[in-house]
Amino acid sequence: MTAILPQAVESLLRVFGKLPGVGRRTAMRYVLHLIREGDACVAELARCLDDVARQVTLCPSCQGLSTDGRECHICLDPQRGPESVCIVAGIADLLAIEATGLYQGRYFVLHRLLSPLKGVGPASLGLGRLFERAQQGSVEELVLATPLTAEGETTATYVSRTVAHLPVRVTRLAAGVPVGGSIEYLDRLTLSRAFEDRKEL
Ligand SMILES: [Zn+2]
């Protein structure tokens, strides 16, 4: 079967197959669908991918997704003050919390969690600028929404210890978050409760 497909199709199958949850069969469905839809559909996909590659950058303030190196919509939103910053492991967690509509502060996206075993140290989290803002007094609360895993806990402990000498309230989402579980997969109600019942560290 492999040999009868054009090289370009094989290459696309390989790329789709790298996406989470997409095996070769699903990748094949996607590729055949695109081919069936025709040039316009393929061109649109190519254009979108090109736009993402060229325009999407990390927000210099929160490391969330932004465009062309500018600050993201959340950081620029005048309704959201800099006093409360919710620290999340990834963009998906940020989106899950946003979907609750409960939180009106800003975020800081780590993209990775502290892990001595994987060689991820504090420097690679990019937290320096957030700690600077806390030092300058513009942050009143840090909400730690890292997952209840060993790495999530290590990261939370590191953050709370680093700001321990500052007048910053540090809270942690706990209630309803399963041990070992990720924030991203919590249903809206559970996440809302975890947020409202956040515990002071
Ligand atoms: Zn931002």
Side-chain angles (χ1 to χ4, degrees):
M1 175 138 179
T2 307
I4 60 175
L5 290 169
Q7 189 52 48
V9 172
E10 274 299 334
S11 300
L12 190 55
L13 277 173
R14 211 168 35 246
V15 173
F16 277 138
K18 285 181 186 167
L19 297 173
V22 178
R24 187 171 170 92
R25 279 168 67 105
T26 306
M28 185 68 82
R29 278 180 51 217
Y30 291 165
V31 171
L32 294 180
H33 174 81
L34 284 168
I35 293 169
R36 237 186 348 258
E37 288 292 305
D39 290 351
C41 184
V42 175
E44 188 184 4
L45 178 67
R47 197 168 53 248
C48 290
L49 291 173
D50 190 48
D51 286 349
V52 167
R54 284 187 304 108
Q55 298 170 9
V56 176
T57 51
L58 294 187
C59 169
S61 295
C62 72
Q63 301 194 144
L65 295 184
S66 190
T67 307
D68 299 328
R70 295 192 292 269
E71 281 197 303
C72 69
H73 291 301
I74 291 177
C75 288
L76 289 174
D77 185 347
Q79 306 291 328
R80 291 168 175 264
E83 315 81 42
S84 179
V85 179
C86 179
I87 299 180
V88 292
I91 305 283
D93 300 322
L94 180 157
L95 295 174
I97 293 169
E98 277 300 286
T100 67
L102 204 76
Y103 180 65
Q104 287 303 310
R106 296 190 190 174
Y107 293 90
F108 192 89
V109 186
L110 298 169
H111 297 286
R112 53 191 73 78
L113 294 167
L114 279 184
S115 173
L117 286 176
K118 293 179 191 160
V120 181
S124 52
L125 302 181
L127 278 163
R129 59 205 118 166
L130 177 60
F131 290 151
E132 254 170 50
R133 297 210 301 272
Q135 193 96 41
Q136 289 157 6
S138 62
V139 179
E140 290 169 14
E141 180 183 18
L142 288 177
V143 184
L144 297 166
T146 52
L148 294 189
T149 58
E151 293 175 356
E153 290 291 287
T154 306
T155 307
T157 305
Y158 162 71
V159 172
S160 67
R161 281 190 186 152
T162 307
V163 299
H165 64 291
L166 299 172
V168 177
R169 182 174 174 238
V170 181
T171 54
R172 178 101 171 93
L173 298 199
V177 180
V179 172
S182 176
I183 307 296
E184 161 188 6
Y185 299 114
L186 291 183
D187 66 85
R188 197 177 289 200
L189 184 64
T190 307
L191 186 51
S192 298
R193 285 218 184 105
F195 226 96
E196 279 170 343
D197 300 342
R198 57 191 189 263
K199 299 213 167 19
E200 198 120 4
L201 289 187

